[in-house]
Amino acid sequence: MRDFIANSDRDQIEGWATRGATAAIRRRAQLLLLYDDGLQTKDVAERVGLSRSRTRYWRRQFRARGLEIFPDGEQKRKSGIEEDGQRQEELLTTTKNLAVQPAEKKREMPQASQAFDALLSLESPGVEPDDPIAEAGRKVLRYHFAEMLRHEEGTRQGEDIEELHDMRVATRRMRAAFEVFEGAFKSKAIKVHRRGLKEAGRTLGNVRDLDVFMEKAQKYLETLPEGHRQGLEPLLSAWDEQREVARAEMLAYLDGEKYQNFKMVFLKFLDTPGAGAQPVPEDKPVPHLVRHVVPILVYTQLANVRAFNSILSTASIDQLHALRIEFKRLRYTVEFFREVLAEESKQVIKDIKELQDHLGDLNDARVACEILREFLDHWEDRQVQLPVSERKNPEPIVAYLAAKHAERHNLMISFPQAWERFEQPEFHHNLALAIAAL
């Protein structure tokens, strides 16, 4: 990809690569220089320490916006660059304004306080067999809340998409934890926290889902001959635009008062033993410790999964998606108590994850088919706005849709074979040994 950078711009980019104001700016400049030197994406990504999809993202952004992807270069190039339309201009302005806020907001948060210091220093949940089940749940929630906060700054910066992925996973695990420990808490006491996590997860998910779609599209492109890799550019450009809008909305949410209040209220709940917990009767013994309750929780969720066995031969794709959710709950239930289970729990989690990932890929392929069909339904509406000489052939996108349909079909028909491994005695033997440690 030689001549990727214009000669008039190379000196300035070389300067940013060594003297940029932030590590993110220096890495972005280095990335462009490596592309200009003819390196392939996998080599560029490895050298700058970004994922391949994020590396390709900045390559596309530079092609579309030039030096505007560098804050210092925006004014220099602004007068010479034709705007893509009012919506894109408003989007870039919003993103630029939000970009200067995180450090200020971070200083406003009491992260230097003892409460936040203690939270962020957690290396594990610390669940014990004799913990009351509600306090075990509080420990699990505290640990994953800390995980969410650890990845917040990286999510704001947006340089590594794995930061956003990890932050979103933390919100999902906390939502799952509230489901697992639901019986240990009063519903009114946890309602506000569940609502806050749901909103955070949805806002992060709007960006993350597009990252996944673009990453899988790029993997598909890598299977094509070099000369056939530009056909998805209209689709990828549309997704880029949608992602920037979703990212601007995400930054506005993360910097907003609602999110800051959620974090403080949630932290108080997590740091207050007994808060919101169901009372334990004093007049009779009831199972309320981890060692009492965990076998019930695990085997109840296992039963919810195995109930699907009766419909697998005729299951719809929606039913398989529902099964994926039950597998995820089973995996999280085992993971939350991994510290008090026997060593066999690691293999149990690995086996569950393989089935969950199989069904997750199936659901991703299904969603991709729906999105691609919708994109093609509006293809002519977009093309008619362009000069005839610039209109694109939809054939590459139709071919990608066909590939996703084939992937969906293959994953669907191969799942019964994967299920057979789950039903083997070895899995259930390992699960029983894991729980026997209690």
Side-chain angles (χ1 to χ4, degrees), residues 155-401:
T155 296
R156 291 175 184 277
Q157 293 174 359
E159 291 295 323
D160 185 350
I161 63 173
E162 295 308 312
E163 291 288 328
L164 169 60
H165 169 68
D166 291 340
M167 185 176 180
R168 186 195 187 192
V169 166
T171 65
R172 283 185 162 183
R173 281 190 162 90
M174 285 186 281
R175 292 178 66 187
F178 272 123
E179 293 179 356
V180 171
F181 295 96
E182 188 171 23
F185 293 100
K186 299 173 184 177
S187 59
K188 288 185 178 179
I190 62 176
K191 183 177 181 180
V192 63
H193 309 306
R194 297 179 80 165
R195 184 168 62 244
L197 287 171
K198 183 177 181 180
E199 186 170 3
R202 181 176 62 247
T203 305
L204 297 170
N206 290 339
V207 183
R208 175 59 186 171
D209 288 343
L210 287 162
D211 283 339
V212 171
F213 295 148
M214 288 190 285
E215 189 167 24
K216 292 197 172 186
Q218 292 289 353
K219 288 180 179 178
Y220 166 77
L221 288 177
E222 290 173 4
T223 67
L224 302 180
E226 187 71 34
H228 294 75
R229 296 183 181 178
Q230 300 300 317
L232 296 189
E233 195 59 36
L235 176 67
L236 293 172
S237 295
W239 281 348
D240 269 342
E241 182 179 346
Q242 292 172 27
R243 187 188 186 279
E244 287 302 299
V245 171
R247 177 166 166 77
E249 293 172 350
M250 180 191 74
L251 290 173
Y253 168 74
L254 293 178
D255 291 323
E257 185 177 356
K258 182 183 291 187
Y259 176 64
Q260 305 305 326
N261 288 342
F262 157 69
K263 288 192 290 187
M264 295 307 300
V265 171
F266 194 37
L267 178 63
K268 182 178 180 181
F269 168 77
L270 297 177
D271 277 353
T272 308
Q278 293 283 9
V280 178
E282 298 180 358
D283 58 341
K284 64 176 181 178
V286 295
H288 71 286
L289 301 181
V290 166
R291 67 171 69 254
H292 302 154
V293 178
V294 168
I296 300 170
L297 293 176
V298 171
Y299 277 109
T300 297
Q301 189 53 44
L302 177 64
N304 291 337
V305 169
R306 298 188 74 188
F308 281 78
N309 189 44
S310 61
I311 66 166
L312 280 186
S313 62
T314 59
S316 68
I317 198 165
D318 286 333
Q319 289 172 321
L320 291 174
H321 177 56
L323 174 57
R324 173 198 173 215
I325 293 172
E326 297 298 342
F327 263 121
K328 183 182 294 187
R329 288 172 179 162
L330 175 59
R331 173 188 163 194
Y332 284 165
T333 303
V334 178
E335 283 185 344
F336 292 155
F337 300 105
R338 182 166 48 189
E339 293 170 295
V340 297
L341 298 177
E343 188 71 14
E344 288 80 2
S345 64
K346 293 182 180 179
Q347 185 61 46
V348 169
I349 292 168
K350 181 176 181 293
D351 292 340
I352 296 171
K353 187 177 184 300
E354 287 180 0
L355 284 154
Q356 180 191 327
D357 288 347
H358 188 120
L359 293 171
D361 289 339
L362 172 60
N363 185 64
D364 287 347
R366 178 186 73 159
V367 173
C369 287
E370 294 171 355
I371 290 175
L372 290 169
R373 282 197 299 268
E374 182 180 359
F375 186 80
L376 288 168
D377 285 344
H378 296 90
W379 179 265
E380 291 301 329
D381 294 335
R382 287 186 292 270
Q383 293 298 304
V384 75
Q385 300 175 29
L386 301 173
V388 172
S389 60
E390 296 179 12
R391 293 178 189 175
K392 306 292 185 182
N393 185 347
E395 183 180 2
I397 298 174
V398 173
Y400 184 44
L401 173 59

Side-chain angles (χ1 to χ4, degrees), residues 40-56:
Q40 297 296 312
T41 295
K42 63 182 180 63
D43 299 316
V44 175
E46 183 177 346
R47 291 203 186 186
V48 300
L50 293 179
S51 66
R52 294 186 189 183
S53 61
R54 202 62 186 156
T55 302
R56 295 187 192 95

